Every structure is written in C-alpha cells, then in structure tokens.
Amino acid sequence: MSTQWKDLGARTAGWPRLQRQGRLRLPWPRASLRAYLVAVILVATVPMSLLAAFLIGQSIVSAREQLDAGLHRAAASFALTVEREIASSVDALHILSYSDALQRHDIAGFFSSLAAMPQLRTTWSSTYLIDVDGRVLFNTQQRAGAELGQLDAAEVLSRLKRDGRPVWSDLIRDPSGQWSTTVLVPVFVDGQLAYALGAWIPPSSWQVLIKS
C-alpha cells in the first residue's frame, strides 16, 4: 500500500509546475457549430423573450385595471341617475297627493284632473292610486271605472304602511305586463293614511337616462 501512495505522489508532484507553465488545462467541451449557434441564439433571445412576456403581462394588468375603473365610474354614474329620478318622481307625486279632490276623497274628480293634464313626467308611463289594502282605484293608462285588481307589490306597500314614507320597487310587472319600476308616496287625509299615489317608470326610460 505504501508503494502505491508513493507512486501516486510522484505522478502528482509535478502538477503545480505544469499549471504554472499552462500545460495543464481542463479540456474545453467539444460541440458542433450548430450547437454553438443555438447556444448563442438562446443567450441572445431568451432574456428578450422574458422581458417581452413581462411587458405583455403588465399591459394586460393595466388594461384590466382601466376596465374595472371604467365600470365603477359607469355604475356610480347610473346609481346617481337613478337616485335623481326617484327623488324627482317622489317630489312630483307628493305635490299631486295634496290635490283638493284627493283630500276630499273625490277619486273620480282626481282621476279626471290627472287625465286632463299633459304627461306629468316624460319618464312615467302612467300614474295610479291604490287604497291601503293595495286595491288599484285607477290607472291613467286605463279607462275610468275598470276593475284593476291588486297592486302586485305587497312588500313595497307593507314598507309604505309601516314607515309612512315614500317607497320604490325593483323591477315588477306593471299593468301592461312589462317589467317596470314603481314609485309610491303615502297620501294622508286628515292625518290618516288613506291612499298611496304611484307612478310607473318603464325600462325604456332608464335606457334614455343612461344614454343622456
């Protein structure tokens, strides 16, 4: 065993001298010219590809953020439009609720006065009156004295009776069968809730308001 170690020591003793003379070098890996060209192309293009992918990703994120911001602005604008229209409808109905004919329980006279008026608001399709039980007493779109049934908005009427304040609905069926929004205000006679005066706002009115 000692002889083997001596031989190994003898063979390696000259390595430092060979390294100094430059005669002991690690062999450079041999490859074809095509392999070298592929390596050069990869080194040149991979960083650019990664940079391009990063920039595209950033562009997509930025576009999505701009889209979200635009949708939020549109939603806020539409909410403000709805709020203004509801408030204007409530004010108009409140004024009508103080009609002398209505305060005298003269339903026919009140209906005639409304029917003789030009369109009260361009956003309304019709105006109607119900009693405290929800029975429709008249609708300006339908002939006087017609049997009109019940207002199909029990939850809305319940809130009006409970709070004694104006209410409005989500989309419900109006007398013509189309989905519309209704606004109702309480009508007090001698301090007591006697009726509710309402107006129908069809989807076409909301579409016009959104575009305006």
Side-chain angles (χ1 to χ4, degrees), residues 58-73:
Q58 290 294 101
S59 177
I60 293 173
V61 171
S62 177
R64 184 176 298 170
E65 290 176 349
Q66 291 178 2
L67 178 60
D68 289 343
L71 290 175
H72 283 303
R73 287 194 299 270

Side-chain angles (χ1 to χ4, degrees), residues 9-175:
R11 286 198 300 269
T12 59
W15 283 16
R17 180 171 55 81
L18 293 175
Q19 287 178 335
R20 289 194 298 271
Q21 295 175 358
R23 292 161 57 186
L24 182 63
R25 295 191 180 95
L26 295 175
W28 182 262
R30 295 181 179 180
S32 65
L33 178 60
R34 178 179 298 178
Y36 284 123
L37 290 176
V38 170
V40 170
I41 292 171
L42 288 176
V43 170
T45 58
V46 168
M48 296 299 295
S49 300
L50 293 176
L51 177 60
F54 173 76
L55 293 177
I56 291 172
Q58 290 294 101
S59 177
I60 293 173
V61 171
S62 177
R64 184 176 298 170
E65 290 176 349
Q66 291 178 2
L67 178 60
D68 289 343
L71 290 175
H72 283 303
R73 287 194 299 270
S77 176
F78 178 62
L80 182 60
T81 298
V82 170
E83 183 179 341
R84 287 174 176 171
E85 176 56 31
I86 294 295
S88 298
S89 294
V90 166
D91 289 343
L93 290 170
H94 262 313
I95 293 171
L96 294 173
S97 71
Y98 292 107
S99 165
D100 289 339
L102 191 55
Q103 292 296 312
R104 296 194 307 269
H105 299 285
D106 182 5
I107 306 303
F110 183 55
F111 174 79
S112 297
S113 65
L114 287 181
M117 292 180 183
Q119 190 174 12
L120 298 173
R121 283 188 62 80
T122 57
T123 53
W124 295 356
S125 60
S126 65
T127 311
Y128 65 95
L129 185 72
I130 60 174
D131 63 17
V132 292
D133 295 321
R135 185 169 63 92
V136 182
L137 303 177
F138 71 73
N139 185 301
T140 54
Q141 269 192 339
Q142 296 164 301
R143 63 179 178 83
E147 184 62 36
L148 303 177
Q150 297 286 122
L151 177 68
D152 187 18
E155 189 272 334
V156 175
L157 180 59
S158 176
R159 283 192 285 121
L160 182 142
K161 293 165 65 175
R162 182 191 65 215
D163 301 333
R165 301 176 63 182
V167 293
W168 47 91
S169 72
D170 295 325
L171 292 176
I172 60 175
R173 296 283 187 182
D174 67 8

